[in-house]
Amino acid sequence: MRRVFINEWKMVINISTVIAIIGVMFCICFDSWNDMTGAIQSGNTVWCVYYFTSNSAFGGMCRKYILPVFAVLPFATSFCEVRNSRAVAYIVSREGMRRYGAVKYMVNILMSGLAVAFGTVLLILGGCAPGFYVPTHPRT
């Protein structure tokens, strides 16, 4: 089972993982643009964390509908690759349907969670970094 887990994990990590992480960042970012720019302009990291928590609680369409699509994108691409190569029957005959399904399920959960976590952390760290946001008008 460990061998199947490692092989599935290797298949999930591809360019779609990077696309998923960037997509998660944009989903969080564009849910409430005004709150994000206010948090970044304040220069306080506490406001950046507050932005994320309030956005999670009161977020709009991107957080509820589009973010899960980005989260499962790495799994979907690996599933399509296995199905198009017709390797499913071979893997199932060697490992069993339940074992292979359990491994696919675990890898999907882990990769989706990591894509959302990495996207969130990169947005918070990048958004709170000095020089990320340059205001177009002077502060009063």
PDB file of all heavy atoms in Angstrom, residues 28-64:
ATOM      1  N   ILE A  28      -8.974  33.770  -2.865  1.00  0.00           N
ATOM      2  CA  ILE A  28      -9.014  34.462  -1.578  1.00  0.00           C
ATOM      3  C   ILE A  28      -8.868  35.959  -1.792  1.00  0.00           C
ATOM      4  O   ILE A  28      -9.558  36.766  -1.172  1.00  0.00           O
ATOM      5  CB  ILE A  28      -7.913  33.930  -0.650  1.00  0.00           C
ATOM      6  CG1 ILE A  28      -8.163  32.456  -0.327  1.00  0.00           C
ATOM      7  CG2 ILE A  28      -7.846  34.738   0.636  1.00  0.00           C
ATOM      8  CD1 ILE A  28      -7.017  31.770   0.377  1.00  0.00           C
ATOM      9  N   CYS A  29      -7.977  36.322  -2.703  1.00  0.00           N
ATOM     10  CA  CYS A  29      -7.674  37.731  -2.952  1.00  0.00           C
ATOM     11  C   CYS A  29      -8.877  38.480  -3.518  1.00  0.00           C
ATOM     12  O   CYS A  29      -9.180  39.588  -3.085  1.00  0.00           O
ATOM     13  CB  CYS A  29      -6.491  37.807  -3.904  1.00  0.00           C
ATOM     14  SG  CYS A  29      -6.087  39.449  -4.459  1.00  0.00           S
ATOM     15  N   PHE A  30      -9.561  37.906  -4.475  1.00  0.00           N
ATOM     16  CA  PHE A  30     -10.610  38.641  -5.175  1.00  0.00           C
ATOM     17  C   PHE A  30     -11.974  38.555  -4.508  1.00  0.00           C
ATOM     18  O   PHE A  30     -12.931  39.136  -5.025  1.00  0.00           O
ATOM     19  CB  PHE A  30     -10.706  38.174  -6.624  1.00  0.00           C
ATOM     20  CG  PHE A  30      -9.517  38.587  -7.438  1.00  0.00           C
ATOM     21  CD1 PHE A  30      -8.927  37.701  -8.297  1.00  0.00           C
ATOM     22  CD2 PHE A  30      -9.003  39.856  -7.329  1.00  0.00           C
ATOM     23  CE1 PHE A  30      -7.830  38.074  -9.044  1.00  0.00           C
ATOM     24  CE2 PHE A  30      -7.906  40.250  -8.062  1.00  0.00           C
ATOM     25  CZ  PHE A  30      -7.317  39.350  -8.924  1.00  0.00           C
ATOM     26  N   ASP A  31     -12.081  37.845  -3.406  1.00  0.00           N
ATOM     27  CA  ASP A  31     -13.373  37.825  -2.721  1.00  0.00           C
ATOM     28  C   ASP A  31     -13.717  39.180  -2.123  1.00  0.00           C
ATOM     29  O   ASP A  31     -14.861  39.599  -2.155  1.00  0.00           O
ATOM     30  CB  ASP A  31     -13.387  36.760  -1.622  1.00  0.00           C
ATOM     31  CG  ASP A  31     -14.176  35.558  -2.039  1.00  0.00           C
ATOM     32  OD1 ASP A  31     -14.822  35.604  -3.093  1.00  0.00           O
ATOM     33  OD2 ASP A  31     -14.144  34.562  -1.318  1.00  0.00           O
ATOM     34  N   SER A  32     -12.754  39.821  -1.545  1.00  0.00           N
ATOM     35  CA  SER A  32     -13.012  41.152  -0.994  1.00  0.00           C
ATOM     36  C   SER A  32     -11.755  41.999  -1.169  1.00  0.00           C
ATOM     37  O   SER A  32     -10.919  42.081  -0.288  1.00  0.00           O
ATOM     38  CB  SER A  32     -13.418  41.073   0.471  1.00  0.00           C
ATOM     39  OG  SER A  32     -12.470  40.348   1.191  1.00  0.00           O
ATOM     40  N   TRP A  33     -11.642  42.576  -2.334  1.00  0.00           N
ATOM     41  CA  TRP A  33     -10.445  43.327  -2.702  1.00  0.00           C
ATOM     42  C   TRP A  33     -10.233  44.535  -1.801  1.00  0.00           C
ATOM     43  O   TRP A  33      -9.110  44.861  -1.416  1.00  0.00           O
ATOM     44  CB  TRP A  33     -10.556  43.750  -4.164  1.00  0.00           C
ATOM     45  CG  TRP A  33      -9.386  44.536  -4.629  1.00  0.00           C
ATOM     46  CD1 TRP A  33      -9.327  45.878  -4.839  1.00  0.00           C
ATOM     47  CD2 TRP A  33      -8.084  44.019  -4.936  1.00  0.00           C
ATOM     48  NE1 TRP A  33      -8.083  46.234  -5.271  1.00  0.00           N
ATOM     49  CE2 TRP A  33      -7.293  45.109  -5.331  1.00  0.00           C
ATOM     50  CE3 TRP A  33      -7.519  42.755  -4.911  1.00  0.00           C
ATOM     51  CZ2 TRP A  33      -5.964  44.965  -5.707  1.00  0.00           C
ATOM     52  CZ3 TRP A  33      -6.201  42.611  -5.285  1.00  0.00           C
ATOM     53  CH2 TRP A  33      -5.439  43.705  -5.673  1.00  0.00           C
ATOM     54  N   ASN A  34     -11.300  45.235  -1.428  1.00  0.00           N
ATOM     55  CA  ASN A  34     -11.165  46.432  -0.594  1.00  0.00           C
ATOM     56  C   ASN A  34     -10.599  46.098   0.782  1.00  0.00           C
ATOM     57  O   ASN A  34      -9.775  46.845   1.313  1.00  0.00           O
ATOM     58  CB  ASN A  34     -12.507  47.140  -0.447  1.00  0.00           C
ATOM     59  CG  ASN A  34     -12.996  47.720  -1.750  1.00  0.00           C
ATOM     60  OD1 ASN A  34     -12.193  48.041  -2.617  1.00  0.00           O
ATOM     61  ND2 ASN A  34     -14.299  47.836  -1.890  1.00  0.00           N
ATOM     62  N   ASP A  35     -11.042  45.003   1.369  1.00  0.00           N
ATOM     63  CA  ASP A  35     -10.508  44.610   2.671  1.00  0.00           C
ATOM     64  C   ASP A  35      -9.032  44.258   2.575  1.00  0.00           C
ATOM     65  O   ASP A  35      -8.246  44.571   3.455  1.00  0.00           O
ATOM     66  CB  ASP A  35     -11.280  43.413   3.235  1.00  0.00           C
ATOM     67  CG  ASP A  35     -12.710  43.768   3.570  1.00  0.00           C
ATOM     68  OD1 ASP A  35     -12.986  44.965   3.754  1.00  0.00           O
ATOM     69  OD2 ASP A  35     -13.544  42.856   3.638  1.00  0.00           O
ATOM     70  N   MET A  36      -8.660  43.600   1.485  1.00  0.00           N
ATOM     71  CA  MET A  36      -7.259  43.202   1.331  1.00  0.00           C
ATOM     72  C   MET A  36      -6.356  44.418   1.165  1.00  0.00           C
ATOM     73  O   MET A  36      -5.303  44.497   1.790  1.00  0.00           O
ATOM     74  CB  MET A  36      -7.099  42.272   0.147  1.00  0.00           C
ATOM     75  CG  MET A  36      -5.691  41.793  -0.016  1.00  0.00           C
ATOM     76  SD  MET A  36      -5.588  40.633  -1.362  1.00  0.00           S
ATOM     77  CE  MET A  36      -3.875  40.819  -1.765  1.00  0.00           C
ATOM     78  N   THR A  37      -6.742  45.364   0.326  1.00  0.00           N
ATOM     79  CA  THR A  37      -5.895  46.545   0.146  1.00  0.00           C
ATOM     80  C   THR A  37      -5.806  47.356   1.434  1.00  0.00           C
ATOM     81  O   THR A  37      -4.753  47.898   1.748  1.00  0.00           O
ATOM     82  CB  THR A  37      -6.416  47.422  -1.002  1.00  0.00           C
ATOM     83  OG1 THR A  37      -7.771  47.767  -0.750  1.00  0.00           O
ATOM     84  CG2 THR A  37      -6.273  46.725  -2.332  1.00  0.00           C
ATOM     85  N   GLY A  38      -6.890  47.429   2.197  1.00  0.00           N
ATOM     86  CA  GLY A  38      -6.846  48.127   3.483  1.00  0.00           C
ATOM     87  C   GLY A  38      -5.923  47.440   4.468  1.00  0.00           C
ATOM     88  O   GLY A  38      -5.179  48.089   5.214  1.00  0.00           O
ATOM     89  N   ALA A  39      -5.937  46.119   4.481  1.00  0.00           N
ATOM     90  CA  ALA A  39      -5.063  45.377   5.382  1.00  0.00           C
ATOM     91  C   ALA A  39      -3.604  45.545   5.001  1.00  0.00           C
ATOM     92  O   ALA A  39      -2.735  45.711   5.859  1.00  0.00           O
ATOM     93  CB  ALA A  39      -5.432  43.890   5.369  1.00  0.00           C
ATOM     94  N   ILE A  40      -3.325  45.546   3.712  1.00  0.00           N
ATOM     95  CA  ILE A  40      -1.940  45.697   3.267  1.00  0.00           C
ATOM     96  C   ILE A  40      -1.454  47.123   3.501  1.00  0.00           C
ATOM     97  O   ILE A  40      -0.318  47.341   3.916  1.00  0.00           O
ATOM     98  CB  ILE A  40      -1.820  45.297   1.784  1.00  0.00           C
ATOM     99  CG1 ILE A  40      -2.047  43.789   1.652  1.00  0.00           C
ATOM    100  CG2 ILE A  40      -0.456  45.662   1.226  1.00  0.00           C
ATOM    101  CD1 ILE A  40      -2.169  43.317   0.229  1.00  0.00           C
ATOM    102  N   GLN A  41      -2.304  48.111   3.282  1.00  0.00           N
ATOM    103  CA  GLN A  41      -1.907  49.501   3.485  1.00  0.00           C
ATOM    104  C   GLN A  41      -1.642  49.802   4.948  1.00  0.00           C
ATOM    105  O   GLN A  41      -0.851  50.683   5.257  1.00  0.00           O
ATOM    106  CB  GLN A  41      -2.984  50.448   2.970  1.00  0.00           C
ATOM    107  CG  GLN A  41      -2.992  50.590   1.480  1.00  0.00           C
ATOM    108  CD  GLN A  41      -4.102  51.524   1.025  1.00  0.00           C
ATOM    109  OE1 GLN A  41      -4.973  51.897   1.789  1.00  0.00           O
ATOM    110  NE2 GLN A  41      -4.066  51.883  -0.249  1.00  0.00           N
ATOM    111  N   SER A  42      -2.283  49.085   5.838  1.00  0.00           N
ATOM    112  CA  SER A  42      -2.071  49.353   7.255  1.00  0.00           C
ATOM    113  C   SER A  42      -0.650  49.005   7.683  1.00  0.00           C
ATOM    114  O   SER A  42      -0.145  49.561   8.642  1.00  0.00           O
ATOM    115  CB  SER A  42      -3.082  48.582   8.104  1.00  0.00           C
ATOM    116  OG  SER A  42      -2.754  47.210   8.116  1.00  0.00           O
ATOM    117  N   GLY A  43      -0.022  48.067   6.969  1.00  0.00           N
ATOM    118  CA  GLY A  43       1.346  47.685   7.306  1.00  0.00           C
ATOM    119  C   GLY A  43       1.446  46.810   8.538  1.00  0.00           C
ATOM    120  O   GLY A  43       2.532  46.533   9.039  1.00  0.00           O
ATOM    121  N   ASN A  44       0.331  46.339   9.026  1.00  0.00           N
ATOM    122  CA  ASN A  44       0.307  45.534  10.243  1.00  0.00           C
ATOM    123  C   ASN A  44      -0.026  44.095   9.873  1.00  0.00           C
ATOM    124  O   ASN A  44      -1.024  43.840   9.219  1.00  0.00           O
ATOM    125  CB  ASN A  44      -0.754  46.104  11.194  1.00  0.00           C
ATOM    126  CG  ASN A  44      -0.676  45.503  12.570  1.00  0.00           C
ATOM    127  OD1 ASN A  44       0.067  44.561  12.801  1.00  0.00           O
ATOM    128  ND2 ASN A  44      -1.442  46.061  13.485  1.00  0.00           N
ATOM    129  N   THR A  45       0.804  43.152  10.307  1.00  0.00           N
ATOM    130  CA  THR A  45       0.550  41.757   9.960  1.00  0.00           C
ATOM    131  C   THR A  45      -0.709  41.231  10.624  1.00  0.00           C
ATOM    132  O   THR A  45      -1.329  40.316  10.102  1.00  0.00           O
ATOM    133  CB  THR A  45       1.728  40.861  10.367  1.00  0.00           C
ATOM    134  OG1 THR A  45       2.441  41.443  11.432  1.00  0.00           O
ATOM    135  CG2 THR A  45       2.628  40.572   9.224  1.00  0.00           C
ATOM    136  N   VAL A  46      -1.090  41.784  11.725  1.00  0.00           N
ATOM    137  CA  VAL A  46      -2.318  41.336  12.387  1.00  0.00           C
ATOM    138  C   VAL A  46      -3.513  41.598  11.486  1.00  0.00           C
ATOM    139  O   VAL A  46      -4.425  40.785  11.387  1.00  0.00           O
ATOM    140  CB  VAL A  46      -2.487  42.043  13.752  1.00  0.00           C
ATOM    141  CG1 VAL A  46      -3.815  41.712  14.385  1.00  0.00           C
ATOM    142  CG2 VAL A  46      -1.343  41.684  14.676  1.00  0.00           C
ATOM    143  N   TRP A  47      -3.510  42.711  10.767  1.00  0.00           N
ATOM    144  CA  TRP A  47      -4.617  43.017   9.862  1.00  0.00           C
ATOM    145  C   TRP A  47      -4.659  42.061   8.690  1.00  0.00           C
ATOM    146  O   TRP A  47      -5.723  41.745   8.171  1.00  0.00           O
ATOM    147  CB  TRP A  47      -4.538  44.465   9.377  1.00  0.00           C
ATOM    148  CG  TRP A  47      -5.056  45.410  10.400  1.00  0.00           C
ATOM    149  CD1 TRP A  47      -4.332  46.239  11.177  1.00  0.00           C
ATOM    150  CD2 TRP A  47      -6.409  45.572  10.795  1.00  0.00           C
ATOM    151  NE1 TRP A  47      -5.147  46.918  12.039  1.00  0.00           N
ATOM    152  CE2 TRP A  47      -6.427  46.533  11.823  1.00  0.00           C
ATOM    153  CE3 TRP A  47      -7.607  45.000  10.393  1.00  0.00           C
ATOM    154  CZ2 TRP A  47      -7.606  46.937  12.437  1.00  0.00           C
ATOM    155  CZ3 TRP A  47      -8.788  45.401  11.005  1.00  0.00           C
ATOM    156  CH2 TRP A  47      -8.774  46.360  12.019  1.00  0.00           C
ATOM    157  N   CYS A  48      -3.486  41.588   8.248  1.00  0.00           N
ATOM    158  CA  CYS A  48      -3.470  40.620   7.151  1.00  0.00           C
ATOM    159  C   CYS A  48      -4.110  39.307   7.585  1.00  0.00           C
ATOM    160  O   CYS A  48      -4.870  38.697   6.846  1.00  0.00           O
ATOM    161  CB  CYS A  48      -2.041  40.375   6.675  1.00  0.00           C
ATOM    162  SG  CYS A  48      -1.338  41.780   5.808  1.00  0.00           S
ATOM    163  N   VAL A  49      -3.816  38.878   8.793  1.00  0.00           N
ATOM    164  CA  VAL A  49      -4.425  37.653   9.318  1.00  0.00           C
ATOM    165  C   VAL A  49      -5.916  37.882   9.551  1.00  0.00           C
ATOM    166  O   VAL A  49      -6.748  37.018   9.268  1.00  0.00           O
ATOM    167  CB  VAL A  49      -3.710  37.199  10.605  1.00  0.00           C
ATOM    168  CG1 VAL A  49      -4.424  36.031  11.245  1.00  0.00           C
ATOM    169  CG2 VAL A  49      -2.259  36.856  10.308  1.00  0.00           C
ATOM    170  N   TYR A  50      -6.275  39.074  10.057  1.00  0.00           N
ATOM    171  CA  TYR A  50      -7.690  39.392  10.247  1.00  0.00           C
ATOM    172  C   TYR A  50      -8.436  39.375   8.918  1.00  0.00           C
ATOM    173  O   TYR A  50      -9.565  38.905   8.839  1.00  0.00           O
ATOM    174  CB  TYR A  50      -7.842  40.768  10.911  1.00  0.00           C
ATOM    175  CG  TYR A  50      -9.271  41.249  10.919  1.00  0.00           C
ATOM    176  CD1 TYR A  50     -10.193  40.704  11.810  1.00  0.00           C
ATOM    177  CD2 TYR A  50      -9.707  42.215  10.018  1.00  0.00           C
ATOM    178  CE1 TYR A  50     -11.508  41.121  11.809  1.00  0.00           C
ATOM    179  CE2 TYR A  50     -11.013  42.634  10.006  1.00  0.00           C
ATOM    180  CZ  TYR A  50     -11.908  42.088  10.897  1.00  0.00           C
ATOM    181  OH  TYR A  50     -13.207  42.497  10.898  1.00  0.00           O
ATOM    182  N   TYR A  51      -7.778  39.875   7.861  1.00  0.00           N
ATOM    183  CA  TYR A  51      -8.398  39.858   6.535  1.00  0.00           C
ATOM    184  C   TYR A  51      -8.749  38.435   6.129  1.00  0.00           C
ATOM    185  O   TYR A  51      -9.847  38.160   5.668  1.00  0.00           O
ATOM    186  CB  TYR A  51      -7.454  40.477   5.494  1.00  0.00           C
ATOM    187  CG  TYR A  51      -7.803  40.069   4.094  1.00  0.00           C
ATOM    188  CD1 TYR A  51      -8.902  40.611   3.448  1.00  0.00           C
ATOM    189  CD2 TYR A  51      -7.067  39.102   3.431  1.00  0.00           C
ATOM    190  CE1 TYR A  51      -9.243  40.223   2.175  1.00  0.00           C
ATOM    191  CE2 TYR A  51      -7.403  38.703   2.158  1.00  0.00           C
ATOM    192  CZ  TYR A  51      -8.482  39.257   1.537  1.00  0.00           C
ATOM    193  OH  TYR A  51      -8.828  38.861   0.288  1.00  0.00           O
ATOM    194  N   PHE A  52      -7.810  37.514   6.322  1.00  0.00           N
ATOM    195  CA  PHE A  52      -8.076  36.137   5.914  1.00  0.00           C
ATOM    196  C   PHE A  52      -9.198  35.520   6.733  1.00  0.00           C
ATOM    197  O   PHE A  52     -10.079  34.861   6.190  1.00  0.00           O
ATOM    198  CB  PHE A  52      -6.822  35.282   6.034  1.00  0.00           C
ATOM    199  CG  PHE A  52      -7.099  33.834   5.775  1.00  0.00           C
ATOM    200  CD1 PHE A  52      -7.386  33.405   4.496  1.00  0.00           C
ATOM    201  CD2 PHE A  52      -7.126  32.919   6.803  1.00  0.00           C
ATOM    202  CE1 PHE A  52      -7.670  32.077   4.247  1.00  0.00           C
ATOM    203  CE2 PHE A  52      -7.405  31.600   6.564  1.00  0.00           C
ATOM    204  CZ  PHE A  52      -7.680  31.176   5.281  1.00  0.00           C
ATOM    205  N   THR A  53      -9.202  35.733   8.050  1.00  0.00           N
ATOM    206  CA  THR A  53     -10.235  35.107   8.881  1.00  0.00           C
ATOM    207  C   THR A  53     -11.612  35.703   8.597  1.00  0.00           C
ATOM    208  O   THR A  53     -12.590  34.970   8.529  1.00  0.00           O
ATOM    209  CB  THR A  53      -9.897  35.243  10.374  1.00  0.00           C
ATOM    210  OG1 THR A  53      -9.684  36.627  10.691  1.00  0.00           O
ATOM    211  CG2 THR A  53      -8.660  34.447  10.721  1.00  0.00           C
ATOM    212  N   SER A  54     -11.689  37.012   8.405  1.00  0.00           N
ATOM    213  CA  SER A  54     -13.002  37.591   8.105  1.00  0.00           C
ATOM    214  C   SER A  54     -13.454  37.200   6.706  1.00  0.00           C
ATOM    215  O   SER A  54     -14.640  36.995   6.466  1.00  0.00           O
ATOM    216  CB  SER A  54     -12.965  39.111   8.242  1.00  0.00           C
ATOM    217  OG  SER A  54     -12.172  39.680   7.235  1.00  0.00           O
ATOM    218  N   ASN A  55     -12.514  37.049   5.787  1.00  0.00           N
ATOM    219  CA  ASN A  55     -12.861  36.623   4.444  1.00  0.00           C
ATOM    220  C   ASN A  55     -13.344  35.177   4.450  1.00  0.00           C
ATOM    221  O   ASN A  55     -14.224  34.802   3.689  1.00  0.00           O
ATOM    222  CB  ASN A  55     -11.658  36.789   3.513  1.00  0.00           C
ATOM    223  CG  ASN A  55     -12.025  36.568   2.075  1.00  0.00           C
ATOM    224  OD1 ASN A  55     -13.184  36.673   1.708  1.00  0.00           O
ATOM    225  ND2 ASN A  55     -11.053  36.245   1.273  1.00  0.00           N
ATOM    226  N   SER A  56     -12.751  34.349   5.305  1.00  0.00           N
ATOM    227  CA  SER A  56     -13.199  32.962   5.403  1.00  0.00           C
ATOM    228  C   SER A  56     -14.626  32.890   5.926  1.00  0.00           C
ATOM    229  O   SER A  56     -15.413  32.056   5.502  1.00  0.00           O
ATOM    230  CB  SER A  56     -12.281  32.176   6.325  1.00  0.00           C
ATOM    231  OG  SER A  56     -10.998  32.114   5.785  1.00  0.00           O
ATOM    232  N   ALA A  57     -14.952  33.761   6.880  1.00  0.00           N
ATOM    233  CA  ALA A  57     -16.287  33.729   7.473  1.00  0.00           C
ATOM    234  C   ALA A  57     -17.336  34.371   6.570  1.00  0.00           C
ATOM    235  O   ALA A  57     -18.446  33.869   6.452  1.00  0.00           O
ATOM    236  CB  ALA A  57     -16.263  34.433   8.825  1.00  0.00           C
ATOM    237  N   PHE A  58     -16.979  35.477   5.936  1.00  0.00           N
ATOM    238  CA  PHE A  58     -17.962  36.238   5.181  1.00  0.00           C
ATOM    239  C   PHE A  58     -17.616  36.325   3.699  1.00  0.00           C
ATOM    240  O   PHE A  58     -18.049  37.237   3.013  1.00  0.00           O
ATOM    241  CB  PHE A  58     -18.077  37.656   5.744  1.00  0.00           C
ATOM    242  CG  PHE A  58     -18.347  37.673   7.214  1.00  0.00           C
ATOM    243  CD1 PHE A  58     -17.391  38.157   8.090  1.00  0.00           C
ATOM    244  CD2 PHE A  58     -19.533  37.189   7.722  1.00  0.00           C
ATOM    245  CE1 PHE A  58     -17.628  38.172   9.452  1.00  0.00           C
ATOM    246  CE2 PHE A  58     -19.781  37.199   9.088  1.00  0.00           C
ATOM    247  CZ  PHE A  58     -18.822  37.691   9.951  1.00  0.00           C
ATOM    248  N   GLY A  59     -16.822  35.387   3.204  1.00  0.00           N
ATOM    249  CA  GLY A  59     -16.352  35.427   1.815  1.00  0.00           C
ATOM    250  C   GLY A  59     -17.486  35.295   0.816  1.00  0.00           C
ATOM    251  O   GLY A  59     -18.587  34.859   1.129  1.00  0.00           O
ATOM    252  N   GLY A  60     -17.182  35.645  -0.395  1.00  0.00           N
ATOM    253  CA  GLY A  60     -18.185  35.630  -1.449  1.00  0.00           C
ATOM    254  C   GLY A  60     -18.148  34.371  -2.286  1.00  0.00           C
ATOM    255  O   GLY A  60     -17.831  33.280  -1.806  1.00  0.00           O
ATOM    256  N   MET A  61     -18.421  34.529  -3.566  1.00  0.00           N
ATOM    257  CA  MET A  61     -18.576  33.401  -4.465  1.00  0.00           C
ATOM    258  C   MET A  61     -17.284  32.625  -4.685  1.00  0.00           C
ATOM    259  O   MET A  61     -17.301  31.404  -4.784  1.00  0.00           O
ATOM    260  CB  MET A  61     -19.101  33.900  -5.807  1.00  0.00           C
ATOM    261  CG  MET A  61     -19.391  32.776  -6.765  1.00  0.00           C
ATOM    262  SD  MET A  61     -19.369  33.224  -8.481  1.00  0.00           S
ATOM    263  CE  MET A  61     -17.731  33.698  -8.796  1.00  0.00           C
ATOM    264  N   CYS A  62     -16.174  33.314  -4.788  1.00  0.00           N
ATOM    265  CA  CYS A  62     -14.910  32.629  -5.100  1.00  0.00           C
ATOM    266  C   CYS A  62     -14.547  31.604  -4.037  1.00  0.00           C
ATOM    267  O   CYS A  62     -14.106  30.505  -4.358  1.00  0.00           O
ATOM    268  CB  CYS A  62     -13.785  33.646  -5.242  1.00  0.00           C
ATOM    269  SG  CYS A  62     -13.926  34.656  -6.716  1.00  0.00           S
ATOM    270  N   ARG A  63     -14.712  31.954  -2.776  1.00  0.00           N
ATOM    271  CA  ARG A  63     -14.332  31.038  -1.699  1.00  0.00           C
ATOM    272  C   ARG A  63     -15.243  29.811  -1.642  1.00  0.00           C
ATOM    273  O   ARG A  63     -14.810  28.730  -1.297  1.00  0.00           O
ATOM    274  CB  ARG A  63     -14.390  31.745  -0.343  1.00  0.00           C
ATOM    275  CG  ARG A  63     -13.257  32.664  -0.071  1.00  0.00           C
ATOM    276  CD  ARG A  63     -11.990  31.869   0.085  1.00  0.00           C
ATOM    277  NE  ARG A  63     -12.001  31.123   1.305  1.00  0.00           N
ATOM    278  CZ  ARG A  63     -11.050  31.165   2.189  1.00  0.00           C
ATOM    279  NH1 ARG A  63     -10.016  31.916   1.992  1.00  0.00           N
ATOM    280  NH2 ARG A  63     -11.110  30.430   3.259  1.00  0.00           N
ATOM    281  N   LYS A  64     -16.500  29.989  -1.952  1.00  0.00           N
ATOM    282  CA  LYS A  64     -17.447  28.886  -1.789  1.00  0.00           C
ATOM    283  C   LYS A  64     -17.546  27.988  -3.009  1.00  0.00           C
ATOM    284  O   LYS A  64     -17.795  26.792  -2.872  1.00  0.00           O
ATOM    285  CB  LYS A  64     -18.823  29.448  -1.455  1.00  0.00           C
ATOM    286  CG  LYS A  64     -18.861  30.116  -0.115  1.00  0.00           C
ATOM    287  CD  LYS A  64     -20.208  30.698   0.171  1.00  0.00           C
ATOM    288  CE  LYS A  64     -20.161  31.436   1.498  1.00  0.00           C
ATOM    289  NZ  LYS A  64     -21.325  32.239   1.729  1.00  0.00           N
TER     290      LYS A  64
END
